[in-house]
Amino acid sequence: MYFTNLGGQDFAATLNQVIYAAALGLVLAILYLYTGKLWLPMLYHFGVDFLNYAVNGGIKAQVWSGTLSDLVSSLVSIVVPVAIAIWMMTGKRKLVIDENIERLLG
């Protein structure tokens, strides 16, 4: 869906949104599979959106200027969720996720 933003912003900004959404989606899926509850990923998504809109001053096209700040922001917003997702898929957390997957599918 973020590729529809190409009409209002440049390709780099849109690509950044697509990659960020995929990373966030991974975290939300893991959070759902770990807890078995849908309200928690929904609340997390609301919090992320609320903070994003508060920082950006509302809904507007994303600007990618290629600065170090843009790069660091992108890395943090992508690497941190992926690292959390990888961590959640190890140890006892993975066993809980596996049990919830079985419960949800069976």
Side-chain angles (χ1 to χ4, degrees), residues 44-56:
Y44 186 87
H45 191 293
F46 170 79
V48 167
D49 284 350
F50 180 80
L51 290 174
N52 198 10
Y53 294 144
V55 168
N56 291 328

Side-chain angles (χ1 to χ4, degrees), residues 6 25 30 47 84:
L6 281 173
I30 295 294
I84 291 171

Side-chain angles (χ1 to χ4, degrees), residues 32-101:
Y32 171 66
L33 292 174
Y34 182 70
T35 63
K37 309 281 189 235
L38 189 57
W39 67 268
L40 194 54
M42 290 172 66
L43 185 63
Y44 186 87
H45 191 293
F46 170 79
V48 167
D49 284 350
F50 180 80
L51 290 174
N52 198 10
Y53 294 144
V55 168
N56 291 328
I59 300 174
K60 58 184 174 184
Q62 186 179 22
V63 177
W64 178 268
S65 57
T67 63
L68 182 60
S69 174
D70 283 345
L71 182 61
V72 169
S73 175
S74 292
L75 284 175
V76 168
S77 64
I78 293 166
V79 170
V80 169
V82 170
I84 291 171
I86 291 170
W87 175 72
M88 289 295 294
M89 292 187 288
T90 61
K92 290 183 180 180
R93 294 168 300 280
K94 183 178 180 341
L95 296 175
V96 172
I97 289 172
D98 289 342
E99 289 173 7
N100 279 332
I101 289 172

